[in-house]
């Protein structure tokens, strides 16, 4: 992959009051992608939702240290949008998450489902110093 055409990195405290900011960054980026021929409004909505859900999960499952942070990294390459969300929580097994019951949806537990449905690739890596949720959308 070549150098990214756009790179945005945001580090926020593990506080939900920053979720609207993160979502709006996704919207602005979607509306400004140069090599995208699809529906920009839909992509903007999807990125807002995906970034908000991913960041919410990182905050919700963080180590509850008030000095802890979540880092969101967004790179746009020629044909790919790459999002990485770094946290310091206990981590989880992405493949072991059950599918939600869509006939009787619950208020929580839908975030990863939505992210997987709206994006092209979702991986989760647990490292010794952090966890990384990597989300890709092919442009």
């Amino acid at each position: 992959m070549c150098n990214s055409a756009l790179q945005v990195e945001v580090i926020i405290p593990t506080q939900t009051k920053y979720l609207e900011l993160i979502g709006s960054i996704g919207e602005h980026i979607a509306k400004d992608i140069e090599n995208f021929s699809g529906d920009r409004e839909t992509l903007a909505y999807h990125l807002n939702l995906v970034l908000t859900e991913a960041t919410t999960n990182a905050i919700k499952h963080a180590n509850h240290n008030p000095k802890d942070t979540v880092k969101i990294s967004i790179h746009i390459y020629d044909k790919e949008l790459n999002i990485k969300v770094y946290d310091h929580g206990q981590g989880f097994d992405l493949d072991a998450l059950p599918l939600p019951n869509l006939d009787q949806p619950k208020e929580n537990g839908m975030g990863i489902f939505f992210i997987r449905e709206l994006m092209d690739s979702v991986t989760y890596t647990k490292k010794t110093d952090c966890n990384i949720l990597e989300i890709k959308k092919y442009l």
Side-chain angles (χ1 to χ4, degrees):
M1 204 176 317
C2 60
N3 290 336
S4 60
L6 175 69
Q7 176 180 338
V8 176
E9 290 193 358
V10 180
I11 298 172
I12 60 167
T14 53
Q15 298 171 20
T16 56
K17 67 181 181 180
Y18 296 101
L19 292 174
E20 187 177 335
L21 170 67
I22 300 304
S24 69
I25 289 171
E27 283 188 31
H28 286 287
I29 286 173
K31 293 175 181 176
D32 202 40
I33 295 176
E34 291 180 15
N35 296 333
F36 184 68
S37 60
D39 183 341
R40 288 179 189 277
E41 288 299 320
T42 299
L43 181 63
Y45 174 75
H46 288 177
L47 285 183
N48 184 326
L49 180 66
V50 165
L51 283 164
T52 302
E53 289 293 336
T55 306
T56 298
N57 285 345
I59 291 169
K60 187 173 157 185
H61 301 291
N63 282 337
H64 302 294
N65 177 348
K67 294 182 181 176
D68 204 1
T69 59
V70 174
K71 176 180 166 185
I72 300 99
S73 170
I74 304 167
H75 292 250
I76 298 176
Y77 302 98
D78 186 36
K79 303 265 185 222
E80 177 185 300
L81 171 68
N82 183 290
I83 299 168
K84 290 181 182 173
V85 180
Y86 301 81
D87 71 77
H88 303 97
Q90 70 269 23
F92 67 99
D93 183 350
L94 183 65
D95 296 324
L97 289 178
L99 287 174
N101 180 347
L102 298 178
D103 293 328
Q104 297 177 330
K106 295 180 181 176
E107 190 172 314
N108 55 11
M110 300 288 286
I112 293 293
F113 173 77
F114 286 135
I115 293 169
R116 283 178 156 161
E117 287 294 308
L118 298 174
M119 299 291 117
D120 296 311
S121 169
V122 181
T123 58
Y124 188 79
T125 308
K126 188 160 175 51
K127 301 200 177 231
T128 54
D129 60 337
C130 69
N131 306 306
I132 306 166
L133 179 68
E134 183 173 15
I135 304 162
K136 295 179 183 178
K137 177 75 175 172
Y138 302 118
L139 305 171

